Amino acid sequence: MTQKFFRQVLPFAGLLAVAAIGVGAWLYLSGSFSETSVGGIGGPFSLTNGAGQTVTDRDLRGRYLLVYFGYTFCPDVCPTTLNEVAGALDKLGPKAALLQPLFITVDPARDTAKVVGEYAAAFSPQIIGLTGTPEQIAAVARAYRVYFTANKPAKAGGDYTVDHSSILYLMDKAGRFVAPIRADQPAEQMAMEIAKHMD
Ligand code: NI
């Protein structure tokens, strides 16, 4: 192993770590656990929408939820996913009215209510962007078994990235976990996968 090798490979090590965590979380969610520990994913939350209003899980009962965690500074995964979610809404037809996508930030320090609300709405006016206090975000991330960690900026006060797991969670009208939905799939496929779980 030469030094050159390490210089070329090391920058990707972080990405690989995130990918590995994503796969691990995916296996955990879609494996035998999903049938037996349905009650273990999700739960009560209290967050803030783009208009600065409090939104709780109870406010959203009666619709299926498609919950995604990310952050607005995300260079690639979050915008790609939200774009496909917006496309899936178009493909779902009448069922789209029964589906409420949520984008919950894991970077509340930068993602204020206005920032996350406008960001989510830019993909589709139907997607609700949510933020909260660091404690509220930590609690909802824990409830959904979401992994996230902020990287240190290159220089103090500089921009930073946040590693996070990338899974869509489909919840039923009563707020119960139904199934994980792959985030990295085209809108049409995503819509089909979601639709088969909806009444
Ligand atoms: Ni992201």
Side-chain angles (χ1 to χ4, degrees), residues 68 70-71 74 77-78 164:
Y68 189 73
Y71 67 116
C74 184
V77 177
C78 291
H164 63 91

Side-chain angles (χ1 to χ4, degrees), residues 21-145:
I21 288 159
V23 169
W26 177 257
L27 291 175
Y28 171 75
L29 286 171
S30 59
S32 55
F33 288 102
S34 64
E35 299 301 327
T36 52
S37 67
V38 158
I41 307 279
F45 60 77
S46 181
L47 297 166
T48 305
N49 70 11
Q53 296 158 329
T54 298
V55 175
T56 72
D57 56 299
R58 297 205 150 265
D59 299 330
L60 300 164
R61 294 286 153 81
R63 271 169 291 171
Y64 287 86
L65 301 181
L66 189 64
V67 186
Y68 189 73
F69 291 80
Y71 67 116
T72 70
F73 282 75
C74 184
D76 41 31
V77 177
C78 291
T80 305
T81 301
L82 291 182
N83 211 32
E84 300 306 333
V85 168
L89 287 171
D90 289 340
K91 306 274 181 206
L92 272 169
K95 282 188 173 174
L98 295 171
L99 184 69
Q100 178 57 67
L102 305 179
F103 178 68
I104 302 176
T105 185
V106 291
D107 185 19
R110 288 183 296 188
D111 288 344
T112 61
K114 189 169 184 293
V115 166
V116 75
E118 284 177 0
Y119 179 82
F123 293 91
S124 161
Q126 204 178 323
I127 305 175
I128 297 178
L130 295 169
T131 189
T133 64
E135 293 74 23
Q136 287 172 323
I137 296 300
V140 69
R142 206 162 40 238
Y144 279 81
R145 310 273 203 272

Side-chain angles (χ1 to χ4, degrees), residues 156-192:
D159 282 345
Y160 57 90
T161 56
V162 182
D163 297 340
H164 63 91
S165 46
S166 179
I167 294 167
L168 292 154
Y169 301 84
L170 183 64
M171 315 300 286
D172 71 11
K173 294 176 187 174
R176 292 174 303 220
F177 176 63
V178 176
I181 305 292
R182 269 181 48 204
D184 61 339
Q185 58 181 332
E188 193 144 349
Q189 224 175 291
M190 190 184 282
M192 276 167 51

